[in-house]
C-alpha cells in the first residue's frame, strides 16, 4: 500500500469528493482523520464502513471557517497519531447569486469557508510538517477560479484565492520538503452540483469532451497521486481534472 504509516487530515470528508478522498487514502494504508460540520450520520457511517474493513479512520465535528476549530482538530490529530503527513483542504460551499443581489453574509460565508479554511488548516498544521521535514498539502480549488460563471463571484474569488495561496505557500516551505498543490475539478456528481445537474445535465455533458460528468473518485485519484511518492517533485501546481471541460473546444 502506497501510504502505509502516513497520517492524513481531510476537511469536508463526510460527503462527495471529500468522502472519496478519505476512502482512497485509507485504502492505500493511511490513517485518516476527517472533518465534517453537519452531516453526523454520514460521518458515522463512513467511519463504521472504513473501520469495518480494518482501516483507521476517525471523524471530527467542527466548522472549518473557525481558526480555533482548526487549531483544536490539528492538535487532536497530532495527539492521537503523532504527526500529519497529508493535509487535504476540501471543505467548501456555494451561495450562488448575481452580485447585485448577493448579501454580505453570502460573500463572507463562501470566502471564510472555502478560502479561510485553507489558511486555518495550513496555519495549524504547517509547523508540525516543518518539524517533520516532510508533508503534502493538497487544496481543492475549481475550474471556476479561471472561467467566469454568472452568479459565482464569491465562489470564484475563493477558488482563485486558493490557487494564489497554493503557489505562495509552495515557495515558502519547499525547503522543508513539503509540497503544496491544488486540484481544480470541473463538474463532479455530488450534492453541490445537484441543482444545476437537474436543470441542465445533458447540456453540461455535451460541453465535456469526455462526454460525462466527473465522479468523486476521479478527484480522489488526483489527490492520491499528489499525496504519493510519484509526485514528490511537483509543487505549486494546479491540476485540472475536468474531462476537458475548459479546453474551449465546444
Ligand atoms: P459537497 O458534496 O457539498 O460536500 C461538502 C463537504 O464539505 C461536506 O462534507 C461538508 O460537511 C463539508 N463542509 C462544508 N462546510 C463546512 C464547514 N464550515 N466546516 C466543515 N465542513 C464543511 O461538496 P463537493 O462537491 O464534494 O465539494 C468538495 C470540494 O470540491 C469543495 O471545495 C468544492 O468547492 C470543490 N469543487 C466541487 C466541484 C463539483 O462539481 N462538485 C467542482 C469544483 C470544485 P457537512 O455535510 O458535514 O456539513
Amino acid at each position: 500500500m502506497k501510504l502505509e504509516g502516513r497520517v492524513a487530515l481531510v476537511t469536508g470528508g463526510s460527503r462527495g469528493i471529500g468522502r472519496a478522498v478519505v476512502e482512497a487514502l485509507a485504502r492505500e494504508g493511511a490513517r485518516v482523520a476527517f472533518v465534517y460540520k453537519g452531516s453526523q450520520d454520514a460521518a458515522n457511517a463512513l467511519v463504521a464502513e472504513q473501520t469495518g474493513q480494518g482501516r483507521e479512520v476517525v471523524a471530527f465535528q467542527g466548522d472549518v471557517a473557525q481558526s480555533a476549530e482548526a487549531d483544536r482538530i490539528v492538535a487532536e490529530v497530532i495527539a492521537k497519531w503523532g504527526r500529519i503527513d497529508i493535509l487535504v483542504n476540501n471543505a467548501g460551499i456555494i451561495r450562488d447569486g448575481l452580485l447585485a443581489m448577493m448579501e454580505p453574509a453570502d460573500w463572507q460565508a463562501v470566502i471564510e469557508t472555502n478560502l479561510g479554511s485553507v489558511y486555518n488548516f495550513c496555519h495549524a498544521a504547517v509547523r508540525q510538517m516543518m518539524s517533520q521535514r516532510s508533508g503534502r498539502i493538497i487544496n481543492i480549488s475549481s475550474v471556476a477560479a479561471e472561467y467566469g460563471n454568472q452568479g459565482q463571484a464569491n465562489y470564484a474569488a475563493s477558488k482563485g484565492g486558493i490557487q494564489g495561496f497554493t503557489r505562495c505557500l509552495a515557495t515558502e516551505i519547499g525547503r522543508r520538503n513539503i509540497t503544496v498543490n491544488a486540484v481544480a475539478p470541473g463538474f463532479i456528481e455530488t450534492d453541490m452540483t445537484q441543482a444545476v445537474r437537474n436543470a441542465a445535465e445533458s447540456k453540461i455533458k455535451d460541453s465535456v469532451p469526455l462526454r460525462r460528468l466527473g465522479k468523486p473518485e476521479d478527484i480522489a485519484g488526483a489527490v492520491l497521486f499528489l499525496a504519493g511518492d510519484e509526485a514528490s517533485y511537483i509543487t505549486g501546481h494546479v491540476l485540472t481534472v475536468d474531462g476537458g471541460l475548459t479546453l474551449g473546444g465546444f
Side-chain angles (χ1 to χ4, degrees):
M1 289 189 286
K2 288 203 301 192
L3 301 176
E4 190 90 59
R6 316 251 170 109
V7 172
L9 174 57
V10 180
T11 68
S14 53
R15 294 184 289 116
I17 291 169
R19 184 190 163 99
V21 169
V22 170
E23 289 172 339
L25 295 173
R27 192 178 60 239
E28 288 300 332
R31 289 168 282 177
V32 186
F34 71 87
V35 187
Y36 70 98
K37 187 180 179 194
S39 301
Q40 186 165 10
D41 290 346
N44 289 343
L46 178 57
V47 171
E49 179 194 293
Q50 294 297 305
T51 52
Q53 296 181 57
R55 300 170 184 166
E56 286 192 80
V57 173
V58 296
F60 291 93
Q61 196 281 332
D63 181 355
V64 296
Q66 307 295 326
S67 62
E69 298 277 274
D71 292 345
R72 171 182 64 82
I73 291 165
V74 165
E76 288 191 45
V77 173
I78 294 168
K80 184 173 176 56
W81 286 326
R83 54 191 297 115
I84 295 184
D85 299 291
I86 302 159
L87 170 63
V88 183
N89 286 302
N90 162 79
I93 58 170
I94 49 172
R95 294 279 187 278
D96 291 358
L98 297 177
L99 187 80
M101 268 85 79
M102 188 180 285
E103 297 295 333
D106 294 328
W107 170 263
Q108 279 156 9
V110 169
I111 296 295
E112 286 168 17
T113 303
N114 297 5
L115 180 57
S117 65
V118 176
Y119 163 79
N120 292 339
F121 277 84
C122 287
H123 186 252
V126 80
R127 281 172 195 272
Q128 175 64 33
M129 287 183 173
M130 287 166 76
S131 72
Q132 292 168 191
R133 293 196 171 270
S134 70
R136 297 294 168 88
I137 297 173
I138 300 152
N139 300 321
I140 306 300
S141 177
S142 168
V143 294
E146 292 191 53
Y147 295 87
N149 282 334
Q150 283 188 25
Q152 290 207 306
N154 51 1
Y155 185 75
S158 73
K159 295 301 183 178
I162 287 174
Q163 295 189 12
F165 179 102
T166 296
R167 286 186 280 266
C168 288
L169 187 57
T171 67
E172 289 183 22
I173 57 179
R175 75 192 71 177
R176 302 293 182 113
N177 190 31
I178 303 166
T179 67
V180 191
N181 292 291
V183 175
F187 268 108
I188 311 301
E189 289 176 358
T190 68
D191 296 342
M192 183 177 277
T193 55
Q194 189 64 62
V196 68
R197 284 188 286 123
N198 289 347
E201 179 149 349
S202 65
K203 200 174 152 205
I204 297 167
K205 278 185 186 160
D206 285 346
S207 63
V208 178
L210 289 181
R211 292 294 187 269
R212 68 171 178 87
L213 303 189
K215 296 187 182 310
E217 292 73 22
D218 292 317
I219 307 306
V223 171
L224 200 57
F225 167 66
L226 290 170
D229 292 342
E230 298 88 341
S232 63
Y233 202 57
I234 300 174
T235 196
H237 186 71
V238 179
L239 178 54
T240 298
V241 183
D242 70 349
L245 173 72
T246 52
L247 290 174
F250 48 89

